[in-house]
Amino acid sequence: MRSDTYLPHDLLWGLNPEQLPAQAPAWVAEALDQGQPVVLRRAPASAEQLPVGVRGALREQRFATLMLRARVERRVCPEALVDSPLAVRDWPALRALRQVRPLLDASGLAWGVSGSAGFELATGLPTLHAQSDLDLILRTPHVLSRHEAAALLQQLDNPFCRVDLQLQTPLGAVALAEWAGQAQRVLLKADSGARLVADPWSLQEQAA
């Protein structure tokens, strides 16, 4: 399967243990043997290789590696997980998802589920627990004002769990909670690395 539109947080199937580097821990091969997908960590810098992460059963089990684009057999993006039939499961994070969905749908922007909730919705594997946060992404191709960000952050407050929403700008990702705050500069996670910026949508600032 080829695609020119791979984006961070996409889940990809097709990596197998034989393609892992020699230093990969044993749990990485075990996870792949179970048919688990890997997650795209950032936009691909190479036409042939994708920077991906493998997750294990424990929170600290995360392994970064590369996957050949030609090996991808299936791709699921975070936006597709909003309609997963597994969203009815009775975890606090999924109750929160059901509560905030109408708000995000009404924004008119593309959004999706990432993190542990996204992984469970995509695979059915039990990755959520009672203390899990709800990780979301919101595609923001145009500037979202700090006033709008603060209002959205307040609206995402719910009685079930913490919502960690990442704004995906054309230049990288920034936490909604940071952009809604008072700090003059916020952490932008770009393909070239993380940096503090005043405007996560500014090409001029990115080039500086």
Side-chain angles (χ1 to χ4, degrees):
M1 172 184 176
R2 290 190 61 86
S3 173
D4 295 323
T5 57
Y6 289 119
L7 294 171
H9 304 289
D10 284 351
L11 292 172
L12 309 173
W13 282 259
L15 185 66
N16 62 55
E18 290 72 27
Q19 297 156 20
L20 292 171
Q23 70 272 22
W27 66 261
V28 180
E30 292 171 4
L32 296 179
D33 274 336
Q34 294 171 6
Q36 290 188 193
V38 295
V39 61
L40 188 66
R41 297 185 290 114
R42 62 180 185 274
S46 162
E48 300 301 327
Q49 292 187 314
L50 306 173
V52 299
V54 184
R55 64 181 298 151
L58 304 177
R59 184 178 180 87
E60 63 271 18
Q61 290 181 327
R62 300 291 184 269
F63 184 77
T65 188
L66 294 171
M67 178 181 184
L68 288 173
R69 185 186 294 258
R71 295 285 188 176
V72 177
E73 299 171 355
R74 179 186 172 206
R75 165 184 174 250
V76 172
C77 63
E79 291 90 331
L81 299 174
V82 173
D83 292 318
S84 169
L86 300 181
V88 298
R89 289 184 172 180
D90 195 29
W91 287 116
L94 297 181
R95 288 194 292 248
L97 175 61
R98 295 192 290 271
Q99 177 163 317
V100 304
R101 176 174 181 170
L103 166 69
L104 292 169
D105 284 346
S107 73
L109 298 171
W111 68 281
V113 190
S114 59
S116 297
F119 200 83
E120 180 157 331
L121 293 178
T123 66
L125 296 172
T127 52
L128 286 170
H129 53 76
Q131 286 73 46
S132 294
D133 294 341
L134 174 61
D135 296 301
L136 302 174
I137 65 164
L138 183 67
R139 310 284 185 194
T140 49
H142 306 294
V143 175
L144 183 76
S145 74
R146 302 196 80 155
H147 175 75
E148 292 171 318
L152 177 58
L153 183 65
Q154 185 176 22
Q155 291 172 315
L156 290 175
D157 188 38
N158 69 88
F160 306 115
C161 74
R162 176 177 175 269
V163 176
D164 182 4
L165 186 145
Q166 296 282 320
L167 302 173
Q168 299 286 322
T169 82
L171 303 179
V174 61
L176 173 68
E178 281 198 53
W179 187 238
Q182 300 299 316
Q184 289 188 344
R185 292 183 174 272
V186 295
L187 186 67
L188 177 71
K189 296 177 182 178
D191 297 339
S192 57
R195 60 182 299 186
L196 291 171
V197 299
D199 182 352
W201 288 267
S202 172
L203 281 170
Q204 291 81 1
E205 185 170 3
Q206 185 72 0

